[in-house]
Amino acid sequence: MKGYAGKLLRVNLSAGTVTDEPLSLPTVHDFIAGLGFGIKYLYDELAPHVDPLGEHNKLLFVPGLLAGTQAQSVSRWLVCTKSPMTGCFARSCCGGDFGAWIRFAGYDFIIVEGKAEKPVYLYVTAEGTQIKDAAELWGKDTGYTQEWLTQQHGKDVRVACIGQAGEKLVKYSAIVSGKRTASRCGGGTIMGTKLLKAVAIKARRNLDLHDPDGFGKLVKEQIEIMRASKEYHKNREYGTTDGAITRNIIGVYPVRNYRYGELKDYQKLSPEAYKEMEIGDFGCYSCSIRCGKIHVVSHGPYAGVRSEGPEYESLWAFTGPIDNTNIESTVAADQLCDDLGLDSISTGVTIGFAYELYEKGIITKDDTDGLELNYGNHVVMMSLIKKIGQREGFGDILAEGTLRAAKHIGKGAEAYAMQTKGLELAGYEPRGLKGTGFGYATSTIGGSHTNGTVMFQEFGFPVPRPVDRFTEEGKTDIVIHNQNRDSSMEVGIVCFFAFLCGDWFGRIFLKMLEAATGIEKFADREYFDKVGERIWNLERAFNVREGFDRTHDTLPQRFQTEPLHTIEAEGEGQILRKLDQFLDEYYHLRGWTQSGVPSREKLQELGLGYVVKDMEPFLTKE
Ligand code: SF4
């Protein structure tokens, strides 16, 4: 099995066992790697209705097939589990080196199951894996944890760990690795439930490819194409910090808990302003774009704070939801979330939700530990982040995310929870990007912007075609196209920023899969696209088995009843009106029932015949 390690590492923390298992060949052929392995193993191994926070949930660390090679921007990795936020399948993507290190250690992926009796960490090498005492690390932040493990095991160790938030089971805890995070869906929370503080891998760079010379030529071609694109140089220069300007100009920057589409003084958050704070950059393994920018605050209340970010989503999450344009606070909040191990999107949206409840009088100072949640107040935002990360006072309620916090608070608070399937939405306004709204609604992991949304075609990206962002009709095929494409891209975990740098993906990436493995059909576009569709359908089947149906493919009512305000014209603006019509067409084109259940025929067509028996109870309800 050239290109593969040919085995996975299974760690059972309850039993204290560590086992190497061979990869199954049919799984390799049907799912290739990466996200394909993540959903296939979780679907097969997780009994329906397992408590996400219980001992029987599993956590997978999954690199893509080309991680650790010289191919550009394909060494990201995934955390797959059943989400404590949504109860759905969860996949969260992370950059850095850790994915490459899993492969260097001789594994295609890692499965962690069970629960330890006391805090532990895993020490993985090509010679074996040890479950080690983490008493020294429990209660410590992610920076300390990574430094301590590096001191213990040497510079060539790479770490994925949780901070205090994961230990305290904040529902949207992140896993932090180097300067990057697997933020979404609560993977860090699952590590916390297992008392698993960290996974540390020590390995030598070493992979065995089928055709190394051919692969090298493809990498050269890929680099030439990427470097010839404008996008490459823009991302290399600014990372994603231009997002605040470009999204505000067209009015899709969610502000004040998704009521407005723009910030009043958004120019204060310009890429040039971030540039002034920049002291360096960093990139994921084998990526010359190096979109990560390191910022240091030189003055004001946050002077001295240094952070490897924020990138666009975090930048937005610390400004839009609370109407804040203090740029230094975005660097400080980013660092604080990384230290505590928090998903910055869910943190920012949950805090924005609390600010609106405070404005409306649904909560008062008596509920917020005396804090005044007034728009623009970033000092209070920082206090709330600390409280959430430590589950202190009011932070204990917000640590549950908007949906659960709203249920706890009552008094109609649920109307202000900006989430889908329990996962907070991202920094793109669905009334100004309607296809993106449909993507949020039908995403298999909840309100994610990286799971098939069509924002880039709505911004003008020409493949398969650009679309008018305000139109609701005629986008269903693109939503499906993107969902399948994103699923297939994640067998090799192609970074989306690199995907946008010239036309290399269709021309080169599939050939790379073939050159790495010698499996010819991986270079066949039709076969490859089918794998993407198979992955998406299996994710859907996972969720159907958990009880999800059409009623969960929805968006907060705000988007469907309240016009998107602009600063100049409150009360005017776009509404998303045709979600139901979209769903009719979406299910039809997907080959699913009108309740959103994959049909027997579709499952058979995709080689998922073994799933039909699980869908029968839902199909016969029709
Ligand atoms: S573009 Fe940025 S996020 Fe993507 S692989 Fe490169 S450094 Fe990582």
Side-chain angles (χ1 to χ4, degrees):
M1 291 180 87
K2 295 277 187 179
Y4 291 91
K7 65 180 195 291
L8 64 104
L9 171 65
R10 187 182 296 274
V11 178
N12 188 307
L13 294 173
S14 301
T17 54
V18 169
T19 329
D20 285 4
E21 275 179 29
L23 265 188
S24 110
L25 207 56
T27 300
V28 166
H29 281 265
D30 288 350
F31 292 93
I32 303 181
L35 182 62
F37 288 171
I39 182 57
K40 171 65 177 160
Y41 275 79
L42 265 190
Y43 188 91
D44 288 356
E45 295 194 5
L46 226 53
H49 309 300
V50 152
D51 176 5
L53 300 172
E55 183 178 351
H56 298 296
N57 196 4
K58 302 195 184 198
L59 186 69
L60 278 67
F61 298 88
V62 198
L65 179 55
L66 304 181
T69 68
Q70 291 313 302
Q72 293 286 291
S73 322
V74 293
S75 286
R76 289 164 67 81
W77 55 282
L78 300 172
V79 172
C80 296
T81 188
K82 180 173 175 181
S83 168
M85 294 290 283
T86 64
C88 299
F89 171 70
R91 137 254 175 257
S92 184
C93 195
C94 188
D97 292 344
F98 188 75
W101 254 245
I102 293 175
R103 304 233 311 143
F104 295 152
Y107 294 104
D108 290 303
F109 64 103
I110 300 172
I111 300 182
V112 179
E113 52 196 29
K115 178 182 174 179
E117 278 177 4
K118 57 180 186 162
V120 295
Y121 74 91
L122 300 182
Y123 179 49
V124 181
T125 68
E127 288 71 46
T129 295
Q130 297 167 46
I131 302 172
K132 292 176 84 77
D133 190 348
E136 175 71 25
L137 297 172
W138 206 250
K140 300 292 197 298
D141 67 31
T142 61
Y144 178 93
T145 300
Q146 297 193 75
E147 222 175 283
W148 189 87
L149 287 166
T150 306
Q151 273 171 15
Q152 291 291 310
H153 299 296
K155 271 193 180 154
D156 49 351
V157 78
R158 296 296 182 275
V159 175
C161 68
I162 54 172
Q164 295 93 333
E167 294 175 13
K168 293 186 185 280
L169 309 186
V170 174
K171 287 288 189 320
Y172 42 91
S173 298
I175 297 174
V176 177
S177 182
K179 299 174 175 64
R180 298 290 188 171
T181 59
S183 287
R184 307 244 59 200
C185 302
T189 319
I190 304 304
M191 277 182 80
T193 64
K194 297 187 177 305
L195 297 180
L196 177 63
K197 179 70 179 178
V199 179
I201 303 181
K202 185 166 179 156
R204 279 189 300 277
R205 299 168 199 230
N206 167 30
L207 290 176
D208 189 15
L209 303 186
H210 165 74
D211 174 10
D213 293 342
F215 193 87
K217 282 184 195 141
L218 290 167
V219 173
K220 249 179 112 182
E221 243 187 283
Q222 180 202 18
I223 292 172
E224 274 166 26
I225 295 172
M226 283 173 63
R227 288 194 177 161
S229 76
K230 264 204 219 151
E231 195 70 18
Y232 175 92
H233 296 283
K234 188 213 70 161
N235 281 333
R236 199 170 149 79
E237 181 69 15
Y238 296 112
T240 54
T241 57
D242 66 326
I245 300 296
T246 54
R247 279 42 165 180
N248 270 288
I249 284 173
I250 62 168
V252 296
Y253 194 84
V255 171
R256 296 197 180 201
N257 206 24
Y258 296 84
R259 278 183 286 166
Y260 299 84
E262 60 191 314
L263 274 172
K264 198 156 177 243
D265 294 318
Y266 65 82
Q267 292 86 352
K268 290 183 180 167
L269 303 171
S270 70
E272 291 76 21
Y274 278 101
K275 205 77 193 161
E276 280 176 26
M277 292 191 283
E278 190 181 310
I279 56 155
D281 62 13
F282 65 96
C284 302
Y285 186 86
S286 192
C287 177
S288 59
I289 297 176
R290 298 178 67 82
C291 74
K293 305 298 167 197
I294 303 172
H295 300 116
V296 169
V297 179
S298 61
H299 59 274
Y302 306 109
V305 172
R306 169 197 160 113
S307 184
E308 290 78 19
E311 44 64 62
Y312 170 69
E313 284 300 331
S314 303
L315 186 175
W316 165 76
F318 302 131
T319 55
I322 67 154
D323 202 346
N324 168 34
T325 50
N326 180 292
I327 193 167
E328 291 84 15
S329 70
T330 69
V331 178
D334 190 59
Q335 183 57 40
L336 188 53
C337 280
D338 285 355
D339 283 348
L340 292 164
L342 283 169
D343 170 7
S344 55
I345 296 178
S346 283
T347 302
V349 175
T350 304
I351 290 173
F353 153 82
Y355 273 54
E356 185 171 7
L357 296 188
Y358 187 83
E359 180 195 20
K360 294 205 155 44
I362 295 172
I363 55 172
T364 67
K365 267 165 69 169
D366 293 341
D367 303 295
T368 62
D369 309 326
L371 294 171
E372 295 185 26
L373 277 56
N374 297 319
Y375 286 115
N377 192 332
H378 50 86
V379 177
V380 166
M381 172 181 75
M382 295 295 290
S383 298
L384 287 175
I385 294 173
K386 284 182 202 148
K387 281 174 176 287
I388 290 169
Q390 300 282 2
R391 275 194 178 271
E392 276 171 18
F394 184 50
D396 193 33
I397 296 166
L398 299 185
E400 291 293 301
T402 53
L403 189 60
R404 287 180 182 81
K407 283 187 179 138
H408 176 89
I409 292 164
K411 303 183 216 166
E414 223 166 309
Y416 308 104
M418 296 293 114
Q419 50 73 39
T420 292
K421 300 186 179 82
L423 186 70
E424 284 71 30
L425 303 174
Y428 297 92
E429 167 52 56
R431 282 162 295 192
L433 297 163
K434 299 230 170 60
T436 300
F438 296 147
Y440 284 148
T442 51
S443 158
T444 48
I445 64 168
S448 167
H449 64 296
T450 61
N451 200 219
T453 63
V454 300
M455 71 183 86
F456 286 98
Q457 285 94 355
E458 294 184 317
F459 292 149
F461 186 67
V463 183
R465 63 178 188 279
V467 286
D468 181 305
R469 62 196 178 94
F470 297 121
T471 307
E472 295 189 53
E473 288 89 2
K475 291 181 171 174
T476 314
D477 64 319
I478 299 199
V479 173
I480 292 172
H481 168 275
N482 286 7
Q483 291 173 342
N484 292 348
R485 183 210 56 208
D486 286 2
S487 302
S488 59
M489 268 169 65
E490 290 200 346
V491 304
I493 316 187
V494 176
C495 174
F496 203 79
F497 304 137
F499 169 82
L500 296 172
C501 295
D503 178 21
W504 65 272
F505 176 74
R507 287 162 55 189
I508 293 175
F509 178 70
L510 276 65
K511 287 189 204 161
M512 285 176 166
L513 297 179
E514 184 192 9
T517 63
I519 302 175
E520 280 175 24
K521 61 189 171 191
F522 288 177
D524 173 353
R525 186 67 200 234
E526 209 179 309
Y527 183 88
F528 183 75
D529 290 347
K530 216 39 157 190
V531 172
E533 191 182 1
R534 183 175 297 129
I535 291 170
W536 191 270
N537 274 265
L538 195 56
E539 290 178 3
R540 180 72 185 191
F542 182 101
N543 292 347
V544 169
R545 204 170 58 166
E546 296 295 333
F548 286 83
D549 62 17
R550 182 180 185 124
T551 58
H552 301 93
D553 291 339
T554 190
L555 287 165
Q557 275 302 303
R558 165 159 286 169
F559 302 126
Q560 301 175 66
T561 53
E562 288 179 31
L564 174 61
H565 302 314
T566 64
I567 292 168
E568 289 80 23
E570 191 148 323
E572 291 177 17
Q574 296 282 320
I575 292 184
L576 200 144
R577 299 174 197 277
K578 296 181 178 166
L579 179 59
D580 224 35
Q581 193 177 311
F582 162 78
L583 287 178
D584 287 347
E585 192 178 39
Y586 175 80
Y587 296 144
H588 175 70
L589 289 182
R590 276 264 177 224
W592 298 353
T593 69
Q594 283 298 304
S595 302
V597 184
S599 67
R600 297 175 187 91
E601 299 72 28
K602 177 50 76 178
L603 291 169
Q604 295 288 1
E605 177 203 316
L606 293 171
L608 296 172
Y610 56 92
V611 174
V612 172
K613 67 175 187 332
D614 300 336
M615 296 298 102
E616 285 298 354
F618 308 98
L619 288 164
T620 47
K621 266 194 211 161
E622 291 284 313

